[in-house]
Amino acid sequence: MSFHQLAALLPLCALVSVVSCRQPSVDPLSEEERQLILSQGETMRVLTVEDSLDLAVLRARSVDLSARDIASATYAALARKMLATVTSPEQDGVGIAAPQVGLNRRVIAVQRFDKPGEPFEVYPNVRITAVHGEPELGAEGCLSVPGRRGNVMRWRHVDVAYTSPRSLKDTTESIHGFTAVIFQHECDHLDGVLYTDKLEGSDQFAE
Ligand code: ZN
């Protein structure tokens, strides 16, 4: 790598280190949050923008989980129930974020179309750390915005960071293609952002 290449990378590295320093403090799961997870059946109620109380949760910023909580049976139940919810015949989605089931914590489930068998996987404390290439336009829908779809610009190559649920270590991964689009949509939910905020023009159309 030449000096010029290194110099070009420096602003991005500086930005990433600032972002990682600004992670919010981590509070343990409250009794209320634990009850929200444990009191529901295997599929959880999906919050929608049509309900004002639901909308307040969907618009709130989510916070990280402690390593202790990620290792807990409560987290295992959350991951299992988020997967059961997004894959249920009523929802039939390709991704879901914890705020959509009422929990303002940084957890998402994503269908990995880039892996053999296209499995769903769950990522705690996830964030997009870098984007690459040029954004492209694509149609999206959202389980919390029923009956609608619209066109959004998304990056086709992103780097993500999360806490490995197995090792509890910080992990980074490069994601490409439609799976990268899902990561961006779900990570937006963790910042209270909906795809309808990013529609290109007035091109939202009914499903
Ligand atoms: Zn969504």
Side-chain angles (χ1 to χ4, degrees):
M1 180 181 285
S2 73
F3 172 76
H4 291 294
Q5 286 171 316
L6 186 62
L9 279 175
L10 281 176
L12 179 62
C13 297
L15 178 66
V16 168
S17 66
V18 167
V19 169
S20 62
C21 291
R22 288 166 58 205
Q23 286 184 12
S25 60
V26 179
D27 289 325
L29 279 171
S30 67
E31 192 52 38
E32 203 176 12
E33 289 175 309
R34 286 167 44 79
Q35 282 309 311
L36 176 89
I37 297 164
L38 299 175
S39 66
Q40 299 197 48
E42 279 306 297
T43 56
M44 302 176 81
R45 185 179 78 83
V46 174
L47 281 56
T48 75
V49 296
E50 292 158 355
D51 181 286
S52 59
L53 292 177
D54 286 3
L55 187 59
V57 176
L58 291 168
R59 286 305 192 183
R61 291 181 73 89
S62 291
V63 296
D64 281 341
L65 285 170
S66 68
R68 188 192 181 104
D69 274 330
I70 295 169
S72 71
T74 306
Y75 174 82
L78 172 67
R80 190 182 71 241
K81 292 182 181 190
M82 283 177 67
L83 290 176
T85 303
V86 69
T87 57
S88 68
E90 308 88 78
Q91 302 298 344
D92 193 25
V94 295
I96 194 168
Q100 294 182 275
V101 292
L103 193 71
N104 282 122
R105 296 285 184 166
R106 296 193 72 91
V107 181
I108 64 172
V110 173
Q111 186 166 14
R112 294 295 302 260
F113 289 99
D114 55 339
K115 290 188 175 183
E118 302 180 347
F120 277 86
E121 295 180 351
V122 182
Y123 300 92
N125 299 350
V126 62
R127 6 181 92 67
I128 308 280
T129 55
V131 297
H132 307 281
E134 297 292 327
E136 292 177 27
L137 199 62
E140 292 182 23
C142 179
L143 304 182
S144 295
V145 189
R148 309 289 298 182
R149 289 181 69 77
N151 290 320
V152 181
M153 297 291 277
R154 298 285 190 191
W155 305 92
R156 258 50 185 180
H157 308 280
V158 299
D159 296 339
V160 301
Y162 54 89
T163 302
S164 165
R166 280 178 285 278
S167 69
L168 302 179
K169 290 195 165 77
D170 291 340
T171 305
T172 57
E173 200 177 332
S174 295
I175 314 282
H176 307 284
F178 183 56
T179 307
V181 174
I182 304 172
F183 267 93
Q184 289 164 83
H185 178 115
E186 303 310 335
C187 284
D188 273 352
H189 273 298
L190 306 180
D191 296 323
V193 174
L194 301 171
Y195 86 90
T196 47
D197 301 337
K198 297 185 163 182
L199 285 173
E200 286 294 312
S202 55
D203 55 353
Q204 191 174 16
F205 46 89
E207 233 170 9

